[in-house]
Amino acid sequence: MKKKWVALMMTAVFAFSTAACGSGNNAATNDNQTGDGDTQVSSSSSSENKDKPLVWFNRQPSNSSTGELDQTALNFNKDTYYVGFDANQGAELQGQMVKDYIEQNIDKIDRNGDGIIGYVLAIGDIGHNDSIARTRGVRKALGTGVEKDGNIDSEPTGTNTDGTSAAVQDGTIEVGGKEYTIRELASQEMKNSAGATWDAATAGNAIGTWSSSFGDQIDVVVSNNDGMGMSMFNAWSKDNGVPTFGYDANSDAVAAIADGYGGTISQHADVQAYLTLRVLRNALDGVDVDTGIGTPDDAGNVLSDDVYVYKADERSYYSLNVAVTADNYKDFTDSTVVWAPVSNQLDASAHPTKKVWLNIYNASDNFLSSTYQPLLQNYDDLLNLDVEYIGGDGQTESNITNRLGNPSQYDAFAINMVKTDNAASYTAILNQ
């Protein structure tokens, strides 16, 4: 199957013109190669765009301040769903992983012997539900969280070497009959000057500043994702023997566990990527949405209930998370391998090729570009979907929506927003 990345700053006019003139390089106009040979792309472009299958993925439509789900976006039409992972379950796993490591290595983790286990925290996006959950998960497990409006406060502390921040409190842990204090020395949102969040370079700079200021007070580094975690690990933690914990199980982070990276969390991206395209395939085929998910399809693809959950009231599929540590990291070294139980090719005669418009909110995002998209590209072949991949700049919604100038040429849409509040920016286009 022929595909192409649309250039980051391509205008909507150019994108439309190349499609209209039948450019041989445009993924939306090419015939597709499947396991059974050349297949003519089947299009339902005569359908109303507002009625076409839509899946939100990775960023759940929600209020970035309160976390309340955007039910209007989640119920845009009868074939609209969200695909992500169980953020709270994963957050609890990450926090427990950090706590377990501290307990198991208490004899060497307190680098300056002051009885205080100090950690720094890289926060990805203060308005992102997953980032909020991970911050809360770590603080809950380590006893450093304080309640605010019925939940653990997820706001950054800034600098907190004296333990006086209102956003956190000192926790305690007892190991071998001795009590230790656990303190969040510092935390901040990793946003760059252009406004992009989850920014690895910003995290690398932050650990440089923190290490210069706090030195051997830093015993543990925690990050909301592996992109930022690896930036801090490579910039400082590795050379100083400080365990660093991330999230996503990116291949480089998993490999780094052999060099002292403390651990990470696999959010089963292989399952997520499959679900992202599978719900579209089912809607396009007019079959039950559970086909190939909870019940086998005609090729034998099916998921077990220990790798995902479906919440009907949220119209959302969530993959379950797995902790990746020194004990099991060799099982996770390639993050782009499809999940074996759903790796069977669909018959193109029964499931003709359809066109899908799919965007990645930030083409530079480590997890999405190095793990999620390669998985999607593996599954789109198996599911006979001709996917056009759009890479955003991670900063503005218009950088993406400007390239959805002719939605009528697609059969379905998979959307990864820059901000969780902005679903209407996309549904407005589909409603035209």
Side-chain angles (χ1 to χ4, degrees), residues 274-298:
Y274 173 75
L275 286 168
T276 297
L277 297 181
R278 184 76 221 200
V279 295
L280 296 180
R281 179 76 262 179
N282 289 343
L284 292 167
D285 288 346
V287 299
D288 189 276
V289 69
D290 196 47
T291 303
I293 299 175
T295 57
D297 64 14
D298 50 16

Side-chain angles (χ1 to χ4, degrees), residues 17-26 29-30:
S17 65
T18 54
C21 70
S23 167
N25 292 324
N26 191 300
T29 61
N30 290 336

Side-chain angles (χ1 to χ4, degrees), residues 82-370:
Y82 169 73
V83 171
F85 65 99
D86 191 325
N88 291 325
Q89 180 248 355
E92 290 175 3
L93 268 182
Q94 187 188 33
Q96 189 62 47
M97 175 176 62
V98 176
K99 182 182 179 185
D100 288 347
Y101 186 97
I102 292 172
E103 290 176 339
Q104 293 163 11
N105 296 275
I106 197 66
D107 58 333
K108 60 183 178 182
I109 202 167
D110 185 6
R111 296 200 304 145
N112 64 0
D114 64 356
I116 299 174
I117 310 302
Y119 72 94
V120 293
L121 174 64
I123 296 175
D125 180 345
I126 58 173
H128 192 298
N129 280 355
D130 296 342
S131 186
I132 291 169
R134 294 171 198 177
T135 297
R136 287 174 173 166
V138 169
R139 290 175 177 174
K140 178 181 179 181
L142 299 182
T144 56
V146 297
E147 187 171 307
K148 179 181 179 182
D149 300 327
N151 284 303
I152 290 176
D153 194 343
S154 62
E155 290 298 308
T157 63
T159 299
N160 181 47
T161 52
D162 59 1
T164 60
S165 171
V168 291
Q169 64 183 357
D170 282 354
T172 58
I173 188 170
E174 184 175 328
V175 184
K178 182 177 179 180
E179 186 174 278
Y180 296 83
T181 296
I182 300 182
R183 177 173 297 166
E184 186 172 307
L185 299 172
S187 57
Q188 73 176 63
E189 180 185 39
M190 298 306 169
K191 178 189 288 188
N192 67 21
S193 59
T197 53
W198 304 87
D199 189 63
T202 301
N205 292 333
I207 195 63
T209 300
W210 289 336
S211 61
S212 295
S213 301
F214 316 146
D216 60 8
Q217 291 178 266
I218 304 175
D219 301 308
V220 179
V221 175
V222 186
S223 173
N224 281 173
N225 76 355
D226 282 332
M228 299 181 300
M230 282 299 293
S231 181
M232 295 188 292
F233 183 70
N234 290 326
W236 180 78
S237 306
K238 180 179 179 180
D239 290 342
N240 289 273
V242 176
T244 301
F245 298 86
Y247 202 114
D248 289 335
N250 290 341
S251 294
D252 60 341
V254 172
I257 291 176
D259 298 321
Y261 196 72
T264 182
I265 299 294
S266 168
Q267 52 175 281
H268 256 314
D270 46 4
V271 173
Q272 285 186 69
Y274 173 75
L275 286 168
T276 297
L277 297 181
R278 184 76 221 200
V279 295
L280 296 180
R281 179 76 262 179
N282 289 343
L284 292 167
D285 288 346
V287 299
D288 189 276
V289 69
D290 196 47
T291 303
I293 299 175
T295 57
D297 64 14
D298 50 16
N301 295 304
V302 67
L303 293 171
S304 56
D305 58 12
D306 61 343
V307 297
Y308 84 99
V309 293
Y310 175 62
K311 296 184 179 180
D313 60 328
E314 299 176 2
R315 295 186 65 82
S316 297
Y317 286 91
Y318 302 101
S319 68
L320 300 178
N321 303 264
V322 180
V324 182
T325 67
D327 295 330
N328 64 348
Y329 76 94
K330 292 181 180 179
D331 297 331
F332 293 85
T333 52
D334 188 347
S335 62
T336 64
V337 176
V338 298
W339 189 239
V342 289
S343 59
N344 300 318
Q345 177 74 51
L346 295 188
D347 183 348
S349 63
H351 309 275
T353 302
K354 299 290 185 177
K355 302 176 184 177
V356 176
W357 186 94
L358 181 151
N359 83 280
I360 300 293
Y361 92 100
N362 185 356
S364 298
D365 182 274
N366 188 269
F367 168 66
L368 292 171
S369 62
S370 68

